[in-house]
Amino acid sequence: YHAKQRALGWASLKFAPQRDARRSVALEAALHHALELRELELHYQPIVDPAGRVVAAEALLRWYSPALGSVSPDEFIPVAERTGQIIPIGAWVLERACLDGAALQRLVPGLRVAVNVSSKQFGQPQLAPQVRGALGRSGLAPELLTLEITESVLMDQEEAVRRVRELCALGVRLALDDFGTGFSSLQYLRELPIHNVKIDRLFVQTLQDVAGKDAQIVRAIAQLCQVLDLEVTAEGVENAQQAEVCRQLGINLMQGWQFARPMALDTLCAWLQQRPEAEA
Ligand code: C2E
Ligand code: MG
Ligand code: MG
Ligand code: MG
């Protein structure tokens, strides 16, 4: 119930409007300098296959502001979108994630790195050249970079289709993030060269057995993806039971606290090295 409220964006109702407005002014001002003051950091959350092997890591922004404390990306990304700050921030994220992804190859050859791209970034013709630049400077192979986009990014059809094609021409992979919470048009799956669908954790968190309503939805998405030759990832897998149900429903990849939380790069390196499979 709580998760559904959050997904619908009602969480802000719990703030008093005035306090909310003051915070948003302070946040906007602080965010303006966050990049140059080096307050932003990328954490990485492992993504595993059904056998538990780590195949990818998603880069997730973390912001610690001395004035505001830790601010969740769910709070500051929309602000950065609105002010345009997402453009320099997004460019930094791409650069950093490609460098980190290239460094991680020494620990796990073939490890993919996933980067979230917001709709304003996606609207920019500079995105593809930026991605090409970040790949070139880091030496990361294009097929090891996944760009995660949400359905809202695709609303401006023509521009979005152009961007998707430019990015595919570079050889990077595209994932449709938060699948099931937006408009989830099947047209996107049919027409766009997307590689992966990430089922929103809203549908994953209630999985208890293969018979429930959300299980039927997850199964149907997994089957659809199989037919369309798309990889399907379950987000927000929090316990062993949910992981087992996901396996039984035909999910290819899983991400969630059951496996690992998002971690700073050095913590991720230590985590990767101490796993049993790392010794093999
Ligand atoms: P997302 O891309 O859907 O990322 C998954 C979110 O689920 C992350 O939240 C992650 O920490 C969280 N998560 C992972 N496993 C679990 C779990 O088992 N249970 C629960 N309850 N949550 C889990 P986070 O890091 O707070 O990021 C929130 C959103 O902010 C992301 O959702 C993404 O849309 C956006 N975001 C984060 N970093 C970036 C970025 O670099 N650029 C852009 N444009 N957006 C970003
Ligand atoms: Mg994502
Ligand atoms: Mg998501
Ligand atoms: Mg999300």
Side-chain angles (χ1 to χ4, degrees):
Y1 179 66
H2 224 81
K4 295 200 175 163
Q5 268 194 339
R6 266 177 46 115
L8 292 168
W10 296 351
S12 58
L13 288 181
K14 71 173 181 269
F15 296 109
Q18 247 185 352
R19 205 193 113 198
D20 212 17
R22 272 203 305 270
R23 179 170 169 89
S24 109
V25 169
L27 197 144
E28 196 175 313
L31 189 59
H32 204 73
H33 301 287
L35 199 55
E36 56 177 318
L37 294 178
R38 297 169 185 264
E39 293 169 0
L40 297 175
E41 193 186 358
L42 282 183
H43 280 203
Y44 292 90
Q45 185 176 34
I47 298 173
V48 305
D49 72 8
R53 282 181 295 254
V54 183
V55 302
E58 179 176 3
L60 293 160
L61 261 174
R62 295 293 175 258
W63 177 27
Y64 180 81
S65 153
L68 298 160
S70 291
V71 187
S72 152
D74 280 329
E75 191 178 3
F76 72 80
I77 295 286
V79 176
E81 276 267 293
R82 185 163 44 74
T83 62
Q85 275 290 103
I86 194 66
I87 301 300
I89 290 174
W92 176 82
V93 168
L94 267 170
E95 200 74 30
R96 189 69 259 159
C98 286
L99 290 169
D100 293 346
L104 285 165
Q105 298 307 307
R106 273 178 287 129
L107 291 179
V108 182
L111 186 83
R112 305 194 309 223
V113 57
V115 171
N116 292 285
V117 175
S118 72
S119 46
K120 190 163 252 161
Q121 274 179 286
F122 208 75
Q124 305 267 315
Q126 302 96 288
L127 182 62
Q130 235 168 44
V131 170
R132 193 191 315 112
L135 287 168
R137 283 184 288 276
S138 66
L140 184 72
E143 66 272 18
L144 297 182
L145 177 65
T146 301
L147 300 179
E148 297 194 358
I149 58 177
T150 57
E151 291 143 320
S152 63
V153 155
L154 303 170
M155 293 306 277
D156 178 11
Q157 276 281 355
E158 263 179 55
E159 191 65 15
V161 171
R162 193 173 310 136
R163 201 76 351 97
V164 166
R165 300 211 187 289
E166 289 166 0
L167 292 166
C168 279
L170 293 177
V172 303
R173 296 167 60 91
L174 287 175
L176 210 44
D177 204 352
D178 302 346
F179 191 79
T181 59
F183 292 89
S184 303
S185 170
L186 299 179
Q187 196 190 352
Y188 300 143
L189 295 186
R190 189 186 65 187
E191 286 173 13
L192 296 177
I194 282 162
H195 301 80
N196 180 301
V197 164
K198 298 187 80 175
I199 303 178
D200 195 82
R201 69 166 181 266
L202 190 64
F203 301 99
V204 176
Q205 256 156 8
T206 56
L207 293 181
Q208 280 174 342
D209 54 59
V210 293
K213 196 174 192 174
D214 281 350
Q216 299 309 324
I217 293 175
V218 170
R219 190 204 305 277
I221 299 173
Q223 284 171 348
L224 179 66
C225 288
Q226 201 185 357
V227 170
L228 296 174
D229 205 18
L230 299 171
E231 205 171 50
V232 60
T233 307
E235 292 192 300
V237 179
E238 291 186 352
N239 58 52
Q241 195 176 11
Q242 290 163 0
E244 183 49 33
V245 175
C246 283
R247 284 187 199 97
Q248 287 175 20
L249 294 173
I251 293 294
N252 306 118
L253 296 173
M254 292 180 278
Q255 176 179 4
W257 298 345
Q258 163 67 9
F259 307 101
R261 302 227 172 197
M263 299 173 267
L265 182 67
D266 51 356
T267 312
L268 175 72
C269 289
W271 185 86
L272 288 168
Q273 276 174 307
Q274 54 140 58
R275 285 170 66 80
E277 64 177 275
E279 288 157 24

